Amino acid sequence: QVQLVESGGGLVQAGGSLRLACAASGSSFSAYTMCWYRRAPEKQRELVARISSGGSTNYADAVRGRFTISRDNAKNTVYLRMSSLKPEDTGVYYCNAVLYSMNYWGQGTQVTVSS
């Protein structure tokens, strides 16, 4: 069992930056693929960024070049550095951990970008 707790959300002006963190409990964190998803108001949840156990990263087209996902296995934490934020980045951001058939979600953290 893995528990995920996100932090770092908040209100920021367009063009600003935020860093989200997701702290994981449990063992074998380094083996998990870690993802950040977001759900914008009245939209479906979408994948924002992914980092594999080996450190390979993938990004949604909408955030590539502005967001950076990273992980610190010693701290059981995955980060999402968000810069040049836009109002359309507003939403609830969720941390996700996947390993084989195991799939865990955090409770989400709100990010609001004002214009």
Side-chain angles (χ1 to χ4, degrees), residues 5 22 24 33 37 40-41 50 54 57 59 61-62 66 68 70-71 76 79-80 82 84 86 89 91 102 108:
V5 179
C22 171
T33 290
Y37 285 78
R50 175 193 293 120
T57 58
Y59 298 93
D61 289 344
R66 299 188 297 121
T68 302
S70 62
R71 64 191 301 161
N76 280 15
Y79 302 97
L80 185 68
M82 306 184 294
S84 301
K86 304 175 182 180
D89 294 318
M102 296 178 286

Side-chain angles (χ1 to χ4, degrees), residues 24-26 28-29 36 52 56 59 61 78 80 89 94 101 105 112:
S25 65
S28 303
F29 172 81
W36 285 98
S52 71
S56 298
Y59 298 93
D61 289 344
V78 62
L80 185 68
D89 294 318
Y94 298 90
S101 61
W105 292 90
T112 303

